[in-house]
Amino acid sequence: AKDSKMVWSLRAGYGAIRLIEDLQKIKKPKSPKIFMGYSDTTTLHNYLNHFWGWPTLHGPLMDRVGRVQNPLPKAQIDEVCDVLF
């Protein structure tokens, strides 16, 4: 959405690198957003930071935050919230 201030990767994986070709085809957004993800989203971090000038954070994937089994510890969720807000 145009009014969002952040893109938070829900999941990561090998397919993240395949997004680069599509990103190269679109115009850079006028307003930067923070991008957060981990692991295989590293290629997206590099692209968005280098070509679009977006700030990026290596942080937990969104699917880790709401997990019932093996959830992120509250301290880690609090730390992410502190950084973002």
Side-chain angles (χ1 to χ4, degrees):
K2 291 182 180 184
D3 61 342
S4 67
K5 296 180 180 171
M6 180 178 179
V7 175
W8 191 350
S9 185
L10 177 65
R11 300 204 48 198
Y14 166 75
I17 196 168
R18 295 185 299 195
L19 295 173
I20 300 298
E21 187 175 326
D22 291 329
L23 289 173
Q24 291 173 328
K25 295 176 185 176
I26 63 175
K27 189 175 181 181
K28 173 185 167 182
K30 291 180 183 179
S31 299
K33 299 178 188 287
I34 296 170
F35 176 77
M36 184 162 69
Y38 186 72
S39 185
D40 290 330
T41 65
T42 300
T43 54
L44 296 175
H45 282 271
N46 289 336
Y47 182 86
L48 295 171
N49 192 263
H50 181 76
F51 292 103
W52 287 9
W54 284 16
T56 64
L57 295 168
H58 270 261
L61 300 169
M62 188 180 281
D63 75 336
R64 304 291 196 275
V65 175
R67 278 187 171 178
V68 175
Q69 292 181 328
N70 300 320
L72 281 178
K74 183 179 179 328
Q76 287 184 19
I77 293 173
D78 290 345
E79 185 175 6
V80 168
C81 288
D82 287 346
V83 168
L84 295 176
F85 300 108

Short mmCIF file of all heavy atoms in Angstrom, two decimals, residues 1-8 27-36 45 47-57 84:
data_model
loop_
_atom_site.label_atom_id
_atom_site.label_comp_id
_atom_site.label_asym_id
_atom_site.label_seq_id
_atom_site.Cartn_x
_atom_site.Cartn_y
_atom_site.Cartn_z
N ALA A 1 0.83 -1.18 0.00
CA ALA A 1 0.00 0.00 0.00
C ALA A 1 0.88 1.25 0.00
O ALA A 1 1.95 1.26 0.60
CB ALA A 1 -0.90 -0.01 1.22
N LYS A 2 0.40 2.27 -0.64
CA LYS A 2 1.19 3.49 -0.74
C LYS A 2 1.44 4.16 0.60
O LYS A 2 2.45 4.82 0.79
CB LYS A 2 0.49 4.48 -1.68
CG LYS A 2 0.50 4.04 -3.12
CD LYS A 2 -0.16 5.06 -4.00
CE LYS A 2 -0.13 4.58 -5.44
NZ LYS A 2 -0.66 5.55 -6.36
N ASP A 3 0.51 4.00 1.54
CA ASP A 3 0.67 4.67 2.82
C ASP A 3 1.43 3.85 3.86
O ASP A 3 1.66 4.30 4.96
CB ASP A 3 -0.69 5.09 3.38
CG ASP A 3 -1.61 3.89 3.62
OD1 ASP A 3 -1.36 2.81 3.07
OD2 ASP A 3 -2.59 4.07 4.37
N SER A 4 1.85 2.64 3.50
CA SER A 4 2.62 1.82 4.44
C SER A 4 4.04 2.35 4.55
O SER A 4 4.55 2.99 3.65
CB SER A 4 2.62 0.36 4.01
OG SER A 4 3.34 0.20 2.81
N LYS A 5 4.65 2.06 5.68
CA LYS A 5 6.02 2.52 5.91
C LYS A 5 7.01 1.38 5.97
O LYS A 5 8.19 1.59 6.14
CB LYS A 5 6.07 3.32 7.21
CG LYS A 5 5.24 4.58 7.12
CD LYS A 5 5.31 5.37 8.39
CE LYS A 5 4.46 6.61 8.22
NZ LYS A 5 4.28 7.34 9.42
N MET A 6 6.49 0.15 5.81
CA MET A 6 7.35 -1.00 5.96
C MET A 6 6.86 -2.17 5.12
O MET A 6 5.67 -2.32 4.90
CB MET A 6 7.37 -1.42 7.42
CG MET A 6 8.23 -2.60 7.71
SD MET A 6 8.19 -2.93 9.48
CE MET A 6 9.23 -4.35 9.49
N VAL A 7 7.82 -2.98 4.67
CA VAL A 7 7.53 -4.26 4.04
C VAL A 7 8.21 -5.30 4.92
O VAL A 7 9.42 -5.27 5.10
CB VAL A 7 8.07 -4.34 2.60
CG1 VAL A 7 7.85 -5.72 2.02
CG2 VAL A 7 7.44 -3.27 1.73
N TRP A 8 7.41 -6.20 5.48
CA TRP A 8 7.93 -7.21 6.39
C TRP A 8 7.70 -8.56 5.75
O TRP A 8 6.57 -8.94 5.49
CB TRP A 8 7.20 -7.12 7.72
CG TRP A 8 7.77 -7.91 8.85
CD1 TRP A 8 8.76 -8.85 8.80
CD2 TRP A 8 7.39 -7.82 10.22
NE1 TRP A 8 9.01 -9.36 10.05
CE2 TRP A 8 8.17 -8.74 10.94
CE3 TRP A 8 6.45 -7.06 10.89
CZ2 TRP A 8 8.05 -8.91 12.31
CZ3 TRP A 8 6.34 -7.23 12.26
CH2 TRP A 8 7.13 -8.14 12.95
N LYS A 27 8.99 0.80 -11.49
CA LYS A 27 9.58 2.07 -11.11
C LYS A 27 9.78 2.12 -9.60
O LYS A 27 8.94 1.67 -8.82
CB LYS A 27 8.64 3.20 -11.55
CG LYS A 27 9.20 4.57 -11.40
CD LYS A 27 8.23 5.58 -11.99
CE LYS A 27 8.80 6.98 -11.85
NZ LYS A 27 7.88 7.98 -12.39
N LYS A 28 10.89 2.68 -9.19
CA LYS A 28 11.19 2.83 -7.77
C LYS A 28 10.10 3.67 -7.12
O LYS A 28 9.74 4.74 -7.62
CB LYS A 28 12.55 3.52 -7.62
CG LYS A 28 12.90 3.90 -6.21
CD LYS A 28 14.20 4.70 -6.21
CE LYS A 28 14.40 5.35 -4.86
NZ LYS A 28 15.61 6.17 -4.83
N PRO A 29 9.54 3.21 -6.00
CA PRO A 29 8.52 3.99 -5.30
C PRO A 29 9.07 5.35 -4.86
O PRO A 29 10.25 5.48 -4.55
CB PRO A 29 8.16 3.12 -4.10
CG PRO A 29 8.54 1.73 -4.50
CD PRO A 29 9.75 1.90 -5.37
N LYS A 30 8.19 6.34 -4.80
CA LYS A 30 8.61 7.68 -4.42
C LYS A 30 9.04 7.76 -2.96
O LYS A 30 9.96 8.48 -2.62
CB LYS A 30 7.48 8.68 -4.67
CG LYS A 30 7.20 8.91 -6.13
CD LYS A 30 6.07 9.89 -6.34
CE LYS A 30 5.79 10.02 -7.82
NZ LYS A 30 4.68 10.94 -8.08
N SER A 31 8.35 7.02 -2.11
CA SER A 31 8.67 7.04 -0.68
C SER A 31 9.35 5.74 -0.27
O SER A 31 8.84 4.66 -0.57
CB SER A 31 7.39 7.19 0.15
OG SER A 31 6.75 8.40 -0.16
N PRO A 32 10.48 5.84 0.41
CA PRO A 32 11.15 4.62 0.86
C PRO A 32 10.37 3.95 1.98
O PRO A 32 9.60 4.59 2.69
CB PRO A 32 12.51 5.11 1.36
CG PRO A 32 12.29 6.53 1.72
CD PRO A 32 11.21 7.04 0.81
N LYS A 33 10.56 2.66 2.11
CA LYS A 33 9.97 1.87 3.17
C LYS A 33 11.08 1.08 3.84
O LYS A 33 12.12 0.85 3.24
CB LYS A 33 8.93 0.89 2.62
CG LYS A 33 7.77 1.57 1.90
CD LYS A 33 6.82 0.55 1.33
CE LYS A 33 5.79 1.18 0.47
NZ LYS A 33 4.76 1.93 1.15
N ILE A 34 10.87 0.68 5.05
CA ILE A 34 11.80 -0.22 5.72
C ILE A 34 11.47 -1.63 5.24
O ILE A 34 10.30 -2.00 5.17
CB ILE A 34 11.65 -0.15 7.25
CG1 ILE A 34 12.02 1.25 7.75
CG2 ILE A 34 12.52 -1.21 7.92
CD1 ILE A 34 11.65 1.46 9.21
N PHE A 35 12.48 -2.40 4.90
CA PHE A 35 12.28 -3.81 4.55
C PHE A 35 12.90 -4.65 5.64
O PHE A 35 14.05 -4.43 6.03
CB PHE A 35 12.93 -4.15 3.20
CG PHE A 35 12.83 -5.60 2.86
CD1 PHE A 35 11.64 -6.14 2.39
CD2 PHE A 35 13.90 -6.45 3.05
CE1 PHE A 35 11.53 -7.49 2.10
CE2 PHE A 35 13.82 -7.80 2.77
CZ PHE A 35 12.62 -8.32 2.29
N MET A 36 12.13 -5.64 6.14
CA MET A 36 12.67 -6.53 7.15
C MET A 36 12.43 -7.97 6.76
O MET A 36 11.34 -8.34 6.31
CB MET A 36 12.04 -6.28 8.52
CG MET A 36 12.67 -7.13 9.61
SD MET A 36 12.39 -6.57 11.30
CE MET A 36 10.66 -6.89 11.48
N HIS A 45 17.26 -7.65 0.43
CA HIS A 45 17.92 -6.59 1.20
C HIS A 45 18.93 -5.86 0.32
O HIS A 45 18.94 -4.62 0.26
CB HIS A 45 18.69 -7.18 2.40
CG HIS A 45 17.85 -7.55 3.56
ND1 HIS A 45 17.54 -6.68 4.57
CD2 HIS A 45 17.26 -8.73 3.89
CE1 HIS A 45 16.80 -7.29 5.47
NE2 HIS A 45 16.62 -8.54 5.08
N TYR A 47 19.23 -5.69 -2.98
CA TYR A 47 18.63 -4.96 -4.09
C TYR A 47 17.95 -3.68 -3.61
O TYR A 47 18.19 -2.60 -4.14
CB TYR A 47 17.62 -5.84 -4.85
CG TYR A 47 17.03 -5.10 -6.02
CD1 TYR A 47 17.67 -5.10 -7.25
CD2 TYR A 47 15.86 -4.36 -5.90
CE1 TYR A 47 17.16 -4.40 -8.33
CE2 TYR A 47 15.34 -3.65 -6.96
CZ TYR A 47 15.99 -3.67 -8.17
OH TYR A 47 15.49 -2.95 -9.22
N LEU A 48 17.07 -3.82 -2.62
CA LEU A 48 16.31 -2.67 -2.15
C LEU A 48 17.21 -1.60 -1.55
O LEU A 48 16.97 -0.41 -1.74
CB LEU A 48 15.26 -3.12 -1.12
CG LEU A 48 14.17 -4.04 -1.68
CD1 LEU A 48 13.32 -4.60 -0.55
CD2 LEU A 48 13.31 -3.33 -2.71
N ASN A 49 18.25 -1.99 -0.87
CA ASN A 49 19.17 -1.03 -0.29
C ASN A 49 20.01 -0.35 -1.35
O ASN A 49 20.14 0.88 -1.36
CB ASN A 49 20.04 -1.73 0.75
CG ASN A 49 20.80 -0.76 1.60
OD1 ASN A 49 21.96 -0.48 1.32
ND2 ASN A 49 20.15 -0.22 2.61
N HIS A 50 20.56 -1.11 -2.26
CA HIS A 50 21.48 -0.56 -3.26
C HIS A 50 20.76 0.23 -4.35
O HIS A 50 21.19 1.34 -4.70
CB HIS A 50 22.30 -1.70 -3.89
CG HIS A 50 23.29 -1.23 -4.90
ND1 HIS A 50 24.48 -0.62 -4.55
CD2 HIS A 50 23.27 -1.26 -6.25
CE1 HIS A 50 25.14 -0.30 -5.65
NE2 HIS A 50 24.43 -0.68 -6.69
N PHE A 51 19.70 -0.32 -4.92
CA PHE A 51 19.05 0.32 -6.06
C PHE A 51 17.91 1.27 -5.69
O PHE A 51 17.65 2.22 -6.42
CB PHE A 51 18.54 -0.74 -7.05
CG PHE A 51 19.65 -1.48 -7.73
CD1 PHE A 51 19.97 -2.76 -7.33
CD2 PHE A 51 20.39 -0.90 -8.74
CE1 PHE A 51 21.01 -3.45 -7.94
CE2 PHE A 51 21.43 -1.57 -9.36
CZ PHE A 51 21.74 -2.85 -8.95
N TRP A 52 17.23 1.02 -4.60
CA TRP A 52 16.12 1.88 -4.22
C TRP A 52 16.44 2.75 -3.02
O TRP A 52 15.68 3.63 -2.68
CB TRP A 52 14.88 1.04 -3.92
CG TRP A 52 14.22 0.46 -5.15
CD1 TRP A 52 14.69 0.45 -6.43
CD2 TRP A 52 12.97 -0.23 -5.19
NE1 TRP A 52 13.81 -0.19 -7.26
CE2 TRP A 52 12.75 -0.62 -6.54
CE3 TRP A 52 12.03 -0.55 -4.23
CZ2 TRP A 52 11.61 -1.31 -6.93
CZ3 TRP A 52 10.91 -1.24 -4.63
CH2 TRP A 52 10.70 -1.61 -5.97
N GLY A 53 17.56 2.49 -2.34
CA GLY A 53 17.95 3.29 -1.19
C GLY A 53 17.09 3.07 0.04
O GLY A 53 17.04 3.92 0.92
N TRP A 54 16.42 1.93 0.11
CA TRP A 54 15.59 1.63 1.27
C TRP A 54 16.45 1.15 2.43
O TRP A 54 17.39 0.38 2.23
CB TRP A 54 14.60 0.53 0.94
CG TRP A 54 13.43 0.95 0.10
CD1 TRP A 54 13.30 2.08 -0.64
CD2 TRP A 54 12.24 0.20 -0.10
NE1 TRP A 54 12.10 2.09 -1.29
CE2 TRP A 54 11.43 0.95 -0.98
CE3 TRP A 54 11.78 -1.02 0.36
CZ2 TRP A 54 10.17 0.50 -1.38
CZ3 TRP A 54 10.54 -1.45 -0.05
CH2 TRP A 54 9.74 -0.69 -0.90
N PRO A 55 16.11 1.55 3.66
CA PRO A 55 16.78 0.95 4.81
C PRO A 55 16.25 -0.46 5.01
O PRO A 55 15.07 -0.73 4.76
CB PRO A 55 16.37 1.86 5.98
CG PRO A 55 15.10 2.49 5.53
CD PRO A 55 15.16 2.57 4.02
N THR A 56 17.12 -1.36 5.39
CA THR A 56 16.70 -2.75 5.59
C THR A 56 17.18 -3.25 6.94
O THR A 56 18.22 -2.82 7.44
CB THR A 56 17.22 -3.67 4.47
OG1 THR A 56 18.65 -3.72 4.51
CG2 THR A 56 16.78 -3.20 3.09
N LEU A 57 16.41 -4.17 7.50
CA LEU A 57 16.75 -4.77 8.79
C LEU A 57 16.72 -6.28 8.66
O LEU A 57 15.74 -6.84 8.15
CB LEU A 57 15.73 -4.37 9.86
CG LEU A 57 15.63 -2.91 10.23
CD1 LEU A 57 14.38 -2.67 11.07
CD2 LEU A 57 16.87 -2.50 11.00
N LEU A 84 11.30 -0.78 15.57
CA LEU A 84 10.36 -0.27 14.58
C LEU A 84 9.61 0.97 15.03
O LEU A 84 9.30 1.85 14.22
CB LEU A 84 9.36 -1.36 14.19
CG LEU A 84 9.97 -2.56 13.49
CD1 LEU A 84 8.90 -3.62 13.23
CD2 LEU A 84 10.62 -2.16 12.19
#
